Amino acid sequence: QVYVVFSEELKCWCRALVESVWCQADGYQLGCFLVDYAKYCSVASENVRVLAGAFAKIPHRAKKCRLHCTKPLTLHIDYCENTAKIGPAKRWDTAAIQHFRKLLE
């Protein structure tokens, strides 16, 4: 379900999908995906509202997607043998994410 959340970064109300909820000392925080900005953000529970009827029918501008058959790779360095090889990784490296974003621009 899509909600409306206030983004501190964008300084405006945005449509968002709530992906996670966690408890903090001062209340609940929600991990959200902003469907019109393709950004992830953290929002306090008091900054979440139910989306009004007509606005819920407007299509999202951003969609989550994945690259088909593309797996993350990383550079494995063996200091003992003084070699470096590219191999599979569990997550994408920060440098690879930055490089991909530059390619998209």
Side-chain angles (χ1 to χ4, degrees), residues 9 25 37 39 47 49 51 67 79 88-89 93-94 99-100 104:
E9 178 185 351
Y37 295 93
K39 290 186 173 205
N47 290 334
R49 305 287 186 271
L51 188 60
L67 297 174
Y79 293 105
D93 290 340
T94 305
H99 178 67
F100 182 71
L104 289 176

Side-chain angles (χ1 to χ4, degrees), residues 41-77:
C41 69
S42 176
V43 177
S45 60
E46 60 265 10
N47 290 334
V48 178
R49 305 287 186 271
V50 175
L51 188 60
F55 293 108
K57 296 178 182 170
I58 299 172
H60 304 162
R61 293 179 58 195
K63 295 191 185 251
K64 290 184 187 180
C65 59
R66 293 185 176 165
L67 297 174
H68 181 68
C69 294
T70 303
K71 308 248 186 215
L73 297 174
T74 190
L75 186 64
H76 297 283
I77 300 172

Side-chain angles (χ1 to χ4, degrees), residues 11 17 23 26-28 38 43 45-46 49 51 55 62 76 80 84-85 90 92 97-99:
K11 304 288 186 223
L17 293 170
C23 185
D26 58 344
Y28 289 95
V43 177
S45 60
E46 60 265 10
R49 305 287 186 271
L51 188 60
F55 293 108
H76 297 283
C80 296
K85 297 178 184 176
K90 292 180 181 176
W92 289 99
I97 294 169
Q98 290 173 352
H99 178 67

Side-chain angles (χ1 to χ4, degrees), residues 15 18 22 32 59 68 71-72 84 97:
R15 294 184 302 163
V18 176
W22 63 93
C32 299
H68 181 68
K71 308 248 186 215
I97 294 169

